[in-house]
Amino acid sequence: VGCIGTSSNRSGIGAKVRVKAKISGGEVWQLRQISSQSGFFGQDEMRAHFGLGDAHMIDSLIIEWPGGGTDIRTNITSRQSLTITESAPQAVPR
């Protein structure tokens, strides 16, 4: 999963990506956080990769953006590469 920020930073650094899928008969949540570097003189891939085993569908994909917004996608076919662009923030009614 690649993240493109609009109101957050363009690279999606700091975004938390969660997926829920049925793996080996049980519901499993996984979490990855987008970061550019996790070690000295190292660079991380800017995509979140999930091991889904025998899962054919992702029940839920939730991205919590560093700017405070959240994007949710459901019923996604597994074994593909996705790029998600941050949605515009929703106005809060007063």
Side-chain angles (χ1 to χ4, degrees):
V1 179
C3 297
I4 299 174
T6 54
S7 60
S8 297
N9 66 80
R10 173 94 174 132
S11 298
I13 294 172
K16 293 179 182 175
V17 184
R18 291 179 166 83
V19 297
K20 181 177 83 169
K22 186 173 273 193
I23 302 172
S24 298
E27 289 188 350
V28 177
W29 278 99
Q30 295 182 51
L31 166 68
R32 303 288 183 270
Q33 185 164 357
I34 306 298
S35 65
S36 61
Q37 184 176 0
S38 62
F40 187 68
F41 279 122
Q43 172 115 12
D44 291 341
E45 182 179 9
M46 301 292 281
R47 300 180 69 79
H49 182 266
F50 297 91
L52 298 172
D54 63 351
H56 296 288
M57 294 290 289
I58 296 169
D59 297 328
S60 301
L61 182 143
I62 302 170
I63 301 175
E64 295 175 17
W65 297 96
T70 302
D71 282 311
I72 300 172
R73 305 285 192 279
T74 58
N75 299 320
I76 302 166
T77 305
S78 65
R79 303 188 197 321
Q80 66 174 315
S81 183
L82 299 172
T83 300
I84 308 290
T85 301
E86 182 178 16
S87 298
Q90 301 295 318
V92 178
R94 295 183 186 240

